[in-house]
């Protein structure tokens, strides 16, 4: 293997594939990045066996070959090299890569590439495209509600439902729920319904750009996402996603609109006190203002007022401040619309545009008498 | 206690005094910030019993009083408040401070201020001024060489020697040494010679501005530093500082000049490999280039070349890369001057201007045959 590449291009490529490198050391070779030169193309790969990423760049090569290099070490060295042409050459006997750039010479010991697991292939039972910007937005809105509890695997991911006319994503940890439905035409002939892991959503959200489209293929075990030269392959979560439709209320008793940024600041401040306890805040919606209070604990008390316009009777509810802050962070509009039924029913955040509908539920916490 | 203050002014003041707040919880009240209103002045204080900071600001007060508030909580709340006027009022029965700003109301529980220890006073046996910019530079250059080893307390600080015509600071952990001597006229009549704790140097370096002058008072147990409305009071380290003059070589066999930024980048890169082992690098000064190598370890090998102009015979030495990087970070010139005697003698970094002289020694590491 012998090739040359610009420092900038290689650093950017490594920053893409590093996202699927295994974090724990169960299998040393998985903490590495696989590099293969084939016919003037450099192929970079990484996988933690749940998620795999492959990225390709055109290079100038004089000899084909492959090696696996320790990811952190390789990335650190490439980051510190000057923004110049880097020359790589492989010593196959030692599995050692020689890196030359300016007055620098590095020799990094790696692994036999034959020991690197192949990324799974998706036997496309369904294949369709989504606009990257919309898919990214959907992911960001459902990612926040996935559960960390590994005993209920289906809840650690998000339901991904694709129909010919709409795409839906849903996630819940049973205390809150994100639902987003987009009116997007897709090429699927029959409904696709799978669960994408939370970690996959996280990395897709990091990698997706606001431009172009994502080509998605799904079978029973894996989903692949192709965009901007990147291929992400993710294992699917087995199991049944709970019947979320039952949880989303059809009606409400009161609703109001508030300035998103004012509300965000106010909730963050009350949480500074509330989090010293259980991070529960009480929300009191009155005709023209909303009160947000912490409980009066050993460390103190916080009270905020935000202007609103309430329709319907006054409402009071106790909720987890963290769950509220998560949705306030992810919304991009100027205003926020909130619907309430009563103190024992969820608080509902809703937004809607031509493209679709977003619903976010926060379950109430029983009054801490 | 009742007063009002701008959010910005208070936040800035808290960021100054928070630096001496105790980090561990041995005495809960020391994790707090003392506030006192007296005659339209707000006095803020903190201390971990080694270091104390006092800061004063003019405010509009309608009632005097004092309280101690938990530092982190108070700072977080003030940071999140809008940049507006904040009104404070104290409930003495509960030791609770009420904070009002815009639509926000906070009540923070604090401590009885009478339980807060007074900051020590310096019985000035010596009093003098130093330009802040020069004192800051001296501190930054000696701070790097202080020891972390608490069994030799004198080495955890820096020697601070003040004469009528010059000010000197020296620190060493026995493997490296910083020496800086500035030709500054001071008002001292006889030599001051004390040891300032490493933590005090750290906080002074954080707080000192490039402008104005620092008024310094020293007695046998404490030193105080007054600048920009801030008073820092530090305990001194007892004990005898080692005779550093014996260690600084008078002569050298070879010397060379290199571009500081090129050398810094090269050493940082070699250290990426060297640090996976013991972080030892070998330096090889040849007539027109300097080679920097890691040892050939299990993870790989690094080699760098930097242009130099050598006077005297070729030299080779093994040193700790971290010690070298520390001085490369702290120098501000375009070039660096290095003197060498032989592989068993220290490598010496020197810089000199009209204001004074800086010497940095790195002891060699015996060859790892």
């Amino acid at each position: 293997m012998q090739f040359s590449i610009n420092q900038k291009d290689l650093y950017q490529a490594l920053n893409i594939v590093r996202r699927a490198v295994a974090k724990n050391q169960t299998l040393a070779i998985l903490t590495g990045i696989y590099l293969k030169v084939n016919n003037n193309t450099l192929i970079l790969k990484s996988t933690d066996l749940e998620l795999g990423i492959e990225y390709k760049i055109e290079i100038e090569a004089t000899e084909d070959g492959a090696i696996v290099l320790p990811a952190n070490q390789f990335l650190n060295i490439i980051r510190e090299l000057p923004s110049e042409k880097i020359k790589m050459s492989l010593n196959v006997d030692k599995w050692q890569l020689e890196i030359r750039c300016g007055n620098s010479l590095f020799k990094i010991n790696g692994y036999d590439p034959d020991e690197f697991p192949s990324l799974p292939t998706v036997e496309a039972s369904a294949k369709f495209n989504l606009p990257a910007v919309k898919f990214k937005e959907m992911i960001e809105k459902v990612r926040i509600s996935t559960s960390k509890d590994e005993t209920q695997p289906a809840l650690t991911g998000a339901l991904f439902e694709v129909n010919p006319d709409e795409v839906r994503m849903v996630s819940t940890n049973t205390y809150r729920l994100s639902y987003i439905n987009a009116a997007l035409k897709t090429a699927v002939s029959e409904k696709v319904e799978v669960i994408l892991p939370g970690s996959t959503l996280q990395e897709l959200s990091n990698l997706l750009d606001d431009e172009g489209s994502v080509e998605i293929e799904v079978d029973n075990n894996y989903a692949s996402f192709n965009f901007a030269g990147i291929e992400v392959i993710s294992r699917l979560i087995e199991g049944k996603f709970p019947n979320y439709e039952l949880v989303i209320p059809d009606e409400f008793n009161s609703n109001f609109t508030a300035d998103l940024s004012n509300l965000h600041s106010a909730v963050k401040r009350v949480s500074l006190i509330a989090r010293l306890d259980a991070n529960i805040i009480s929300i009191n919606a009155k005709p023209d203002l909303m009160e947000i209070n912490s409980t009066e604990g050993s460390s103190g008390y916080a009270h905020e007022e935000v202007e609103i316009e309430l329709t319907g009777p006054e409402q009071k509810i106790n909720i987890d401040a963290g769950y509220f802050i998560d949705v306030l962070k992810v919304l991009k509009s100027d205003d926020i619309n909130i619907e309430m039924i009563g103190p024992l029913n969820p608080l509902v955040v809703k937004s809607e545009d031509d493209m679709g509908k977003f619903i976010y539920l926060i379950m109430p916490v029983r009054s801490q008498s």
Side-chain angles (χ1 to χ4, degrees), chain A:
Chain A
M1 175 161 110
Q2 260 187 330
F3 67 99
S4 65
I5 184 167
N6 283 323
Q7 182 266 351
K8 260 183 145 167
D9 296 342
L10 181 57
Y11 186 56
Q12 189 219 342
L14 291 176
N15 263 319
I16 291 167
V17 290
R18 79 175 169 86
R19 299 198 163 273
V21 170
K23 273 145 202 106
N24 48 33
Q25 300 261 359
T26 42
L27 199 55
I29 201 168
L30 296 185
T31 63
I33 290 173
Y34 174 99
L35 286 93
K36 183 180 180 177
V37 171
N38 184 21
N39 200 10
N40 289 320
T41 301
L42 173 66
I43 302 151
L44 299 113
K45 276 197 293 195
S46 63
T47 181
D48 61 4
L49 302 179
E50 290 292 317
L51 189 72
I53 298 179
E54 185 173 316
Y55 186 69
K56 291 177 186 169
I57 351 172
E58 299 307 299
I59 47 156
E60 296 156 35
T62 53
E63 194 186 298
D64 288 354
I67 189 174
V68 176
L69 292 176
N72 282 338
Q73 203 178 317
F74 188 40
L75 194 80
N76 286 340
I77 289 168
I78 301 307
R79 184 185 52 233
E80 294 295 337
L81 286 176
S83 178
E84 288 171 25
K85 184 82 64 181
I86 303 177
K87 285 184 183 168
M88 306 279 196
S89 88
L90 178 62
N91 179 334
V92 179
D93 296 335
K94 290 183 170 178
W95 292 119
Q96 191 179 59
L97 188 74
E98 205 180 279
I99 304 170
R100 285 178 187 275
C101 178
N103 292 322
S104 307
L105 163 68
F106 284 89
K107 293 177 185 171
I108 310 185
N109 296 332
Y111 304 95
D112 179 349
D114 288 344
E115 289 169 18
F116 198 80
S118 348
L119 300 191
T121 46
V122 178
E123 293 158 25
S125 62
K127 191 168 173 173
F128 53 95
N129 286 278
L130 293 179
V133 60
K134 191 69 196 170
F135 188 42
K136 186 178 170 138
E137 183 204 321
M138 294 181 82
I139 287 172
E140 281 166 1
K141 283 179 173 160
V142 290
R143 196 163 65 81
I144 53 177
S145 296
T146 57
S147 164
K148 301 275 172 282
D149 177 8
E150 298 289 344
T151 63
Q152 287 182 281
L155 300 189
T156 65
L159 181 70
F160 184 40
E161 252 187 61
V162 186
N163 287 298
D165 297 322
E166 58 177 27
V167 179
R168 185 176 293 181
M169 293 183 88
V170 188
S171 63
T172 180
N173 68 353
T174 74
Y175 305 108
R176 58 161 155 188
L177 179 143
S178 287
Y179 165 103
I180 181 160
N181 193 74
L184 293 170
K185 299 258 177 246
T186 60
V188 300
S189 48
E190 50 186 271
K191 181 168 162 179
V192 172
E193 193 175 345
V194 295
I195 304 174
L196 299 176
S199 53
T200 301
L201 300 175
Q202 164 99 52
E203 296 312 338
L204 283 173
S205 139
N206 284 325
L207 290 170
L208 281 167
D209 246 344
D210 285 349
E211 277 167 40
S213 81
V214 186
E215 188 185 282
I216 303 172
E217 294 187 43
V218 181
D219 67 15
N220 290 324
N221 301 307
Y222 295 97
S224 74
F225 305 88
N226 273 279
F227 52 95
I230 304 168
E231 180 169 14
V232 174
I233 294 171
S234 166
R235 193 187 283 276
L236 298 174
I237 295 179
E238 287 177 48
K240 208 177 143 38
F241 198 81
N243 190 341
Y244 59 90
E245 282 171 331
L246 291 175
V247 188
I248 302 174
D250 300 324
E251 295 177 349
F252 56 87
N253 290 325
S254 312
N255 70 327
F256 63 87
T257 300
D259 179 87
L260 179 64
S261 140
N262 285 348
L263 181 58
H264 191 180
S265 306
V267 176
K268 264 203 314 205
R269 283 193 294 261
V270 176
S271 173
L272 291 175
I273 295 291
R275 74 184 184 198
L276 300 169
D277 207 350
N279 210 14
I280 306 305
I281 55 174
S282 88
I283 286 176
N284 207 338
K286 297 183 167 179
D288 49 10
L289 70 87
M290 168 186 188
E291 291 175 357
I292 309 161
N293 296 305
S294 73
T295 46
E296 193 133 8
S298 60
S299 47
Y301 168 74
H303 169 95
E304 291 277 344
E305 292 175 4
V306 176
E307 277 181 33
I308 60 168
E309 276 178 52
L310 182 75
T311 310
E314 292 192 10
Q315 295 286 349
K316 209 175 158 173
I317 194 172
N318 297 325
I319 56 168
D320 183 295
Y323 291 170
F324 203 14
I325 291 171
D326 281 343
V327 73
L328 295 169
K329 266 196 253 181
V330 103
L331 289 174
K332 278 164 190 146
S333 47
D334 292 338
D335 292 329
I336 178 172
N337 300 309
I338 293 178
E339 295 177 0
M340 290 167 88
I341 300 165
L344 303 179
N345 294 88
L347 174 146
V348 181
V349 175
K350 268 195 188 164
S351 71
E352 194 158 3
D353 58 28
D354 339 330
M355 285 290 282
K357 197 198 270 186
F358 171 55
I359 299 173
Y360 184 80
L361 298 191
I362 308 176
M363 304 303 162
V365 177
R366 299 298 166 94
S367 173
Q368 320 118 47
S369 60

